[in-house]
Amino acid sequence: MVASSASSLILLCLTVSLLLLLLPLPSHCADPDPLLDLCVANLTASTSSSNFPCKLPSEVTADDFVFDGLSKQGNVTNLFGVAVTTGNVLSFPGLNTLGLSMNRVDFGPGGINPPHSHPRASEIGIVIEGKILSGIVTTKNVYYGKVLTAGQVFAVPRGLVHFELNLGQTKAFFFTAFNSHLPGSTVLPLSLFAAAPSIPMEVLTKTYLVDEDAINAMKSKFVF
Ligand code: GLV
Ligand code: MN
């Protein structure tokens, strides 16, 4: 009797663990396939996920499928000399459920799009103007980098850390596209030194093997 209830308990635990393993992790899973022709995001509806409910079909207009936010140069007068303008479901509701989005990335001379990763999408980009060093780092810490000029295309596998640096003395820009309507972006220097509330000092000093002054010096650069 005792043995059979113990084995039922083990079976239950195994089943629960298996189900948990099979559950998609919302922040890292790919966009689901669309189930409808059109599902323009109703951005005013409250939602706890990155999938928005659809607008009523009677409220959909041609403008829902057009976005002109990437036509203008972004403002690059900031710490990094870069402007990332996003065309994702939040700014372009017609993308909802399509598994697609785009960015425009503008650089001042020497500007950098600092090391970052997209948890929910792979990326492809095309340089329109300038001379860009595009680099990625694999999960085995292998670095691949290449200098690109107008017309050249680069790819970034989902979740990998990558960056782009304008090597030229003039402005530069490119467009990127993602296989998610909301790829997300974790910008490493900001995650580590500008998180709110802050990551505990002890974590940062022990991670970077430096003292508190060095960490405070880093943090002081990211007070916005
Ligand atoms: C470039 O890396 C981008 O995320 O648009
Ligand atoms: Mn990117």
Side-chain angles (χ1 to χ4, degrees):
M1 186 69 175
V2 174
S4 96
S5 61
S7 58
S8 311
L9 191 64
I10 290 169
L11 191 65
L12 183 69
C13 287
L14 283 175
T15 313
V16 169
S17 316
L18 189 66
L19 285 175
L20 284 175
L21 275 178
L22 291 176
L23 273 180
L25 293 172
S27 64
H28 286 81
C29 57
D31 289 15
D33 284 335
L35 297 175
L36 301 167
D37 281 0
L38 308 179
C39 178
V40 175
N42 174 359
L43 296 176
T44 58
S46 65
T47 171
S48 59
S49 81
S50 63
N51 286 316
F52 292 89
C54 315
K55 259 178 147 178
L56 290 174
S58 58
E59 291 170 5
V60 172
T61 70
D63 283 343
D64 287 317
F65 302 100
V66 177
F67 178 63
D68 61 11
L70 305 188
S71 60
K72 291 175 251 26
Q73 183 183 325
N75 180 0
V76 299
T77 49
N78 55 53
L79 220 49
F80 296 121
V82 74
V84 180
T85 310
T86 52
N88 59 40
V89 67
L90 300 178
S91 50
F92 186 1
L95 293 180
N96 194 36
T97 77
L98 302 188
L100 294 170
S101 57
M102 283 186 81
N103 284 352
R104 170 180 174 141
V105 187
D106 287 286
F107 299 81
I112 183 153
N113 191 16
H116 65 282
S117 67
H118 306 289
R120 293 181 289 276
S122 295
E123 170 180 330
I124 185 166
I126 180 163
V127 177
I128 306 296
E129 184 182 330
K131 191 172 162 200
I132 299 281
L133 170 64
S134 165
I136 61 179
V137 183
T138 71
T139 55
K140 296 200 163 47
N141 298 324
V142 179
Y143 164 69
Y144 296 93
K146 186 138 176 102
V147 178
L148 306 173
T149 53
Q152 289 189 288
V153 170
F154 60 92
V156 180
R158 183 166 109 185
L160 293 194
V161 171
H162 61 288
F163 63 84
E164 297 92 17
L165 171 67
N166 178 9
L167 295 175
Q169 305 300 310
T170 55
K171 66 187 171 78
F173 82 103
F174 58 74
F175 290 108
T176 47
F178 303 86
N179 61 340
S180 167
H181 68 196
L182 196 59
S185 191
T186 301
V187 182
L188 299 186
L190 301 185
S191 299
L192 290 161
F193 299 111
S198 299
I199 294 177
M201 180 57 88
E202 189 182 355
V203 174
L204 296 173
T205 53
K206 287 187 168 167
T207 299
Y208 287 98
L209 307 171
V210 293
D211 61 17
E212 294 194 6
D213 288 348
I215 296 295
N216 282 330
M218 290 298 298
K219 285 182 151 203
S220 68
K221 312 229 192 281
F222 298 110
V223 176
F224 300 108

